[in-house]
Amino acid sequence: MLILVGALLASYLVPLALYFYLRSAHKDDKDYKKDCWNLLWNGLMLGFPVFGFSLLCNILFKVSHISDRFPIIEVFFSAFILKAFSEELMKYLLANKTIRKNHANLSFLDLMAFTTISAIGFELMEAVVYMFESNVPQILVRGITNMHAVFGLIMGYIIAKGYKKGNKNPVPLGIFVSTMIHGIYDLCLDEAFDATDWGMLSLLIAFICLIINIVNYIFMNKARKDPYYTDPLFPEENIETIPQEETV
């Protein structure tokens, strides 16, 4: 058991390193650091709303009896809705509270940071659950690949890019893309695909997430010096009103 706990703590190194890196974006801004901490802490609690939402969706699915005629649909529903969509949706809804709070001064990188930190919190919590269901190598691989955080990065990038291009509501696309990648990963690990080569696709996704962790660090280091990524996404909300000259 001590070995598993040691592996769990070691698996936290990459997610927490990313958290502290994202938190360092505004070194002198105490409110930003507080927002990051609150997001991380609340992310740890996301398991409860995720469970509740998944339970509700599962009840509605069972009542529909769709799987009675098409059993394979239940496998897809479990992977894409009960697991992937429920988690990605709740992670975004949590991040959105901080996004709305900082809306006037929110930058491209800030939005990415908030969706990612929300995911990191959930990752840290979920790792504890998986500790009792896996072994040391699997625990370490989960930590190194840091997949939940990568899904948060992808979601945040798509949403922020959409706002930059003038899309008034890029959120559904961001959630959809992260859900699809997440869902495919879970689907290929399902017992229904054990005897196929689909499991290799999950390994490929995990490997790509590992690469994205590295590429993201390089990207953000450069982006922190680029006004495109650091200026407010919604400058019209940050325009100071110019007082009119008094007439004599």
Side-chain angles (χ1 to χ4, degrees), residues 90-106:
M90 293 303 160
K91 286 187 288 187
Y92 171 75
L93 290 178
L94 173 60
N96 189 47
K97 293 180 181 179
T98 307
I99 291 172
R100 294 178 63 182
K101 177 185 174 183
N102 296 275
H103 208 259
N105 297 302
L106 185 75

Side-chain angles (χ1 to χ4, degrees), residues 14 18 21 144-146 150 153 207-221:
V14 173
L18 178 57
Y21 175 74
I144 294 172
T145 54
N146 201 20
V150 171
L153 284 168
F207 177 73
I208 292 174
C209 285
L210 175 62
I211 300 301
I212 290 177
N213 276 291
I214 300 172
V215 172
N216 175 66
Y217 178 75
I218 299 172
F219 161 72
M220 285 195 163
N221 264 346

Side-chain angles (χ1 to χ4, degrees), residues 53-197:
F53 183 78
S54 295
L55 179 62
L56 176 61
C57 290
N58 196 32
I59 292 174
L60 294 175
F61 181 75
K62 295 294 185 182
V63 169
S64 70
H65 297 290
I66 297 176
S67 61
D68 294 345
R69 296 186 59 186
F70 309 100
I72 192 63
I73 291 181
E74 187 168 2
V75 177
F76 283 83
F77 184 81
S78 175
F80 286 95
I81 303 300
L82 300 185
K83 296 177 181 178
F85 179 67
S86 64
E87 293 177 6
E88 299 306 319
L89 176 63
M90 293 303 160
K91 286 187 288 187
Y92 171 75
L93 290 178
L94 173 60
N96 189 47
K97 293 180 181 179
T98 307
I99 291 172
R100 294 178 63 182
K101 177 185 174 183
N102 296 275
H103 208 259
N105 297 302
L106 185 75
S107 72
F108 195 118
L109 290 182
D110 291 339
L111 197 154
M112 286 184 65
F114 294 150
T115 57
T116 303
I117 293 173
S118 172
I120 290 174
F122 182 78
E123 169 70 30
L124 298 181
M125 179 279 300
E126 191 181 58
V128 176
V129 177
Y130 276 97
M131 180 183 68
F132 298 98
E133 302 177 358
S134 56
N135 51 47
V136 171
Q138 290 177 333
I139 293 172
L140 294 176
V141 168
R142 280 180 56 84
I144 294 172
T145 54
N146 201 20
M147 284 189 286
H148 276 294
V150 171
F151 298 151
L153 284 168
I154 293 172
M155 181 193 299
Y157 182 88
I158 292 173
I159 294 173
K161 191 72 173 180
Y163 282 132
K164 273 290 187 183
K165 290 185 174 181
N167 186 344
K168 294 184 178 180
N169 190 18
V171 173
L173 179 60
I175 296 176
F176 174 77
V177 172
S178 60
T179 296
M180 290 302 295
I181 300 172
H182 189 165
I184 292 171
Y185 174 82
D186 286 333
L187 178 68
C188 295
L189 291 178
D190 192 273
E191 294 179 356
F193 293 90
D194 271 354
T196 70
D197 294 329

Side-chain angles (χ1 to χ4, degrees), residues 199-210:
M200 294 299 296
L201 186 54
S202 291
L203 292 176
L204 177 61
I205 292 174
F207 177 73
I208 292 174
C209 285
L210 175 62

